[in-house]
Amino acid sequence: MAEKKRLILNLFEMNCVSHITHGLWRLPDNNRERFNDIEYWIELAKLLEDGGFDAVFLADVVGTYDVFRGSADTSIREGLQIPNNDPAVVVPAMAAVTKHLGFGITFSTTYEPPFAWARRLSTLDHLTKGRVGWNIVTSYLPNAARNFGHSGEVEHDHRYEIADEYLDVLYKLWEGSWDDDAILADREGNVFADPAKIRAIFHHGKHFTVEGPHLPSPSRQRTPLLFSATASAAGTAFAGKHTEVVFTGGPTKEFVQKTIENVRAAAVEAGRAAHDVRFVAIGSVIVGRTQSEAEAKRAEFDRLSSVDGQLAHAALPWDPTAYPPETKLGDVIGEDDGGIGRWRDVDGEQTVGEFLAGFSQAGRGPFATTGTPEKVADDIESWLDDVGIDGINLLQYHSYDTAKDFIELVVPVLRERGRLRTHYDESESLRDRVFGAGDRLPDRHYGARYRGGTHLPADRAAAFSG
Ligand SMILES: Cc1cc2nc3c(=O)[nH]c(=O)nc-3n(C[C@H](O)[C@H](O)[C@H](O)COP(=O)(O)O)c2cc1C
C-alpha cells in the first residue's frame, strides 16, 4: 500500500491585530494586541515547535485597505492590518528559541528592488540554519502603490513580469554568485575567501540592473523555499516556473482542485516535475471535545465576527450595508464593480442580504471544518487524499488558543493515523522537510541554471551588449 500523505502544518499569522478573522481580537484572553512585543513571538514559536508545527507563515501588506467606503477609516477602526509591523524582523527572535520551526515570510516584488531583499533573506537563512521560506507577492493594494511613488496600482500582469525578472536577479545572486567552497578561512595565509570563486552577476534587464557579487556567502538553502498564492493565468505561469509551495484560498473545493491542476501543468511546461510543487490551503478549523462544544465556539466566533471588517478587507467598491437586504446585487453594482471581493465571484441574482450573510461567518475559505478531533482529522484526510492538497495554513481565531486546541486535540489523532510526523528530524532545512530531497533547489528548477556561474555574463561589457 502506498504510504499515507503527511500533512504540512503551518500557522497563518500576521504581524498585526486583525489579520483575517476581523472582530475576534476582542475574544477573552486573545493575545493579538501583544504583536508589538517580542515576547508574543517567542511564546508563539515555542508553542508551535513543541506542538509539531512545520512553520509559521507570516502574511504582509505594505498599504492600507482604503477602497471600502472610500477611506481607510473602517480598517483603522477594526485594527485591520493596520497597525502592522514588518514580518521578517520578528523571525530571528523566534529562531533563537527554536531549532526546527520554519518561517514563511511575505514580501512583495513590486516596490523594493531585489539586491537588498536577497541580502536580507540570505541573512535570515543563515541565522535560522535554513529554515526560511519566502511568500512571493506582487501586492494588490492601491495605497501600497502610492506609498512607493506610483500614482495607482501597477497593472496585474505587469507586476508578474517585474516579479519574473526580480526572481532572475535573486537566483543569480543566491545560486550563481558564490561557489560552495569560496570560503577558505585560512588564518596562516590570511585569506578569508577566494576571489576566483565569487563573481559579479552583471544583471542588466528591463527593470533592474545589478552588478553584484551577492554580499552574504551561500546560506544553507541558498534560495529559500519559495511560496506564492495565485489563480490568474499570469500568476499560474509564474508559479509553474518558480513556486515550490502554492498557497490556495478560493471559494470551493473545485476551485482548489483546478488551481492544483493548472499549476502542476504550468510546472511541467516550465521543465519541472508535476510534484515539484506542493499545495497548502487555508485551514479553518474549529475543534472541541464534543460536536456541541465546537459548535458553541463557532457560534461565539460568528457573533463577534465583524462584517464591516470583512467588507473592508474584501475592498468592496460599494457598500452593501446601505441597501435593503432584499435588493438584488445586479441592481446595485455596475459592470466595473465585478471585482467585488478579491476572492469572490458575484451572482447578480443574489440579494444583498444573502451576500452579506457570506461575510458574517467566522468559518472561512474552501476548507472549513467544525467538530470533534476525529471529525476534523477525517476532513483533513479527505482534503489530503481527495482534493489533493499537501497541507494547511491554520487560520487563527484566537491567539494562542487556536494553535493550542489544534495541538492538544487534533495533532494526536493525526499522528495516530500516520498523517503527521511524530518528531522533527534532527537537522533539516525547511525545503528538506517539505520535499525530502535536500536543502537546495532541484536541478530542474529554473534557478539552478546559474550554479557555478553558468549563464552569467563574463563581464560588464558582455552584460550591456547582450
Ligand atoms: C491564502 C492567500 C494568502 C495571501 N496572502 C497575501 C499576503 O500576505 N500579502 C499579499 O500582498 N497578498 C496575499 N495574497 C494575495 C496573492 O499574493 C495574490 O495577489 C492573489 O492570490 C491573486 O493572485 P492572482 O492575481 O495571480 O490570481 C494572498 C492570497 C491568498 C489566496
Side-chain angles (χ1 to χ4, degrees):
M1 218 176 90
E3 208 182 313
K4 282 185 181 173
K5 196 195 277 182
R6 294 250 168 112
L7 182 78
I8 300 170
L9 178 59
N10 302 329
L11 187 76
F12 200 20
E13 249 293 357
M14 187 165 177
N15 199 343
C16 66
V17 171
S18 193
H19 170 202
I20 295 191
T21 50
H22 306 303
L24 298 197
W25 65 275
R26 300 172 292 164
L27 281 165
D29 302 324
N30 202 336
N31 278 288
R32 295 268 18 126
E33 284 156 277
R34 293 177 55 214
F35 76 97
N36 285 324
D37 297 343
I38 200 163
E39 292 79 9
Y40 172 84
W41 299 101
I42 288 173
E43 284 168 41
L44 178 69
K46 286 187 189 160
L47 170 72
L48 298 180
E49 180 154 298
D50 289 348
F53 273 70
D54 288 303
V56 54
F57 188 100
L58 296 151
D60 192 38
V61 291
V62 286
T64 57
Y65 291 78
D66 62 358
V67 172
F68 181 59
R69 295 185 184 141
S71 84
D73 289 0
T74 307
S75 305
I76 291 168
R77 268 197 294 271
E78 296 274 334
L80 191 171
Q81 305 189 6
I82 177 172
N84 87 35
N85 294 333
D86 191 313
V89 180
V90 295
V91 167
M94 291 193 278
V97 295
T98 53
K99 276 204 164 109
H100 308 283
L101 187 68
F103 307 97
I105 307 162
T106 299
F107 187 81
S108 173
T109 50
T110 302
Y111 305 120
E112 296 181 62
F115 185 77
W117 177 237
R119 181 169 174 242
R120 254 178 280 158
L121 262 188
S122 292
T123 308
L124 288 170
D125 202 48
H126 274 304
L127 291 179
T128 61
K129 299 188 171 59
R131 291 191 272 150
V132 288
W134 170 27
N135 178 32
I136 308 163
V137 299
T138 67
S139 295
Y140 49 74
L141 293 172
N143 176 249
R146 295 194 298 275
N147 289 337
F148 289 91
H150 300 262
S151 54
E153 224 176 341
V154 179
E155 193 272 323
H156 179 272
D157 287 10
H158 188 216
R159 296 204 304 267
Y160 277 110
E161 183 195 304
I162 296 170
D164 187 56
E165 187 182 331
Y166 201 105
L167 269 287
D168 208 33
V169 173
L170 296 183
Y171 298 137
K172 289 177 182 179
L173 293 166
W174 284 331
E175 301 289 331
S177 187
W178 287 63
D179 292 343
D180 279 331
D181 54 357
I183 291 186
L184 303 175
D186 170 7
R187 286 170 184 263
E188 301 278 293
N190 187 23
V191 182
F192 187 73
D194 180 355
K197 297 191 168 165
I198 299 162
R199 57 195 71 82
I201 62 164
F202 298 116
H203 177 89
H204 180 59
K206 189 165 163 196
H207 305 286
F208 307 107
T209 296
V210 178
E211 178 160 302
H214 191 37
L215 296 179
S217 58
S219 63
R220 179 157 176 194
Q221 299 181 108
R222 283 184 179 259
T223 299
L225 186 67
L226 300 175
F227 290 80
S228 75
T230 186
S232 68
T236 300
F238 177 89
K241 180 171 168 188
H242 301 285
T243 307
E244 299 175 276
V245 185
V246 169
F247 184 18
T248 62
T252 60
K253 199 182 262 198
E254 291 70 30
F255 179 95
V256 172
Q257 278 172 320
K258 193 76 202 149
T259 303
I260 295 174
E261 196 182 302
N262 290 344
V263 174
R264 288 209 195 285
V268 171
E269 182 80 10
R272 301 165 70 196
H275 285 86
D276 284 356
V277 190
R278 299 279 196 267
F279 295 84
V280 171
I282 292 191
S284 161
V285 174
I286 303 174
V287 63
R289 280 168 196 80
T290 60
Q291 186 67 29
S292 57
E293 185 187 308
E295 274 162 21
K297 257 188 221 177
R298 186 191 169 121
E300 177 66 354
F301 296 167
D302 284 347
R303 189 181 69 79
L304 284 175
S305 184
S306 166
V307 174
D308 264 16
Q310 295 194 28
L311 294 172
H313 193 169
L316 281 194
W318 64 294
D319 184 356
T321 64
Y323 297 90
E326 62 281 5
T327 316
K328 290 256 167 70
L329 291 188
D331 294 337
V332 293
I333 57 171
E335 294 270 305
D336 58 350
D337 295 339
I340 273 184
R342 289 182 186 279
W343 303 298
R344 218 165 239 285
D345 287 328
V346 174
D347 168 7
E349 284 302 304
Q350 212 182 19
T351 65
V352 163
E354 288 162 351
F355 181 70
L356 279 174
F359 285 85
S360 64
Q361 285 160 8
R364 301 291 296 279
F367 177 52
T369 175
T370 301
T372 60
E374 289 70 27
K375 176 180 182 331
V376 166
D378 289 348
D379 289 345
I380 289 175
E381 290 201 273
S382 151
W383 268 67
L384 288 170
D385 294 338
D386 308 333
V387 182
I389 61 164
D390 301 283
I392 56 171
N393 276 2
L394 187 68
L395 189 65
Q396 286 189 99
Y397 295 101
H398 183 288
S399 304
Y400 309 112
D401 282 359
T402 302
K404 280 185 177 162
D405 288 350
F406 197 92
I407 291 165
E408 188 192 331
L409 300 173
V410 186
V411 163
V413 183
L414 291 174
R415 284 189 168 150
E416 165 112 14
R417 297 185 186 184
R419 294 296 189 166
L420 203 64
R421 243 178 320 89
T422 51
H423 60 276
Y424 295 104
D425 282 350
E426 203 29 58
S427 164
E428 239 177 6
S429 64
L430 184 57
R431 176 173 289 108
D432 201 20
R433 165 108 39 86
V434 171
F435 288 99
D439 298 337
R440 303 273 165 93
L441 281 178
D443 292 345
R444 55 184 174 255
H445 189 284
Y446 174 86
R449 71 202 306 263
Y450 297 116
R451 287 184 184 147
T454 49
H455 298 101
L456 291 177
D459 52 33
R460 193 175 296 114
F464 280 82
S465 66

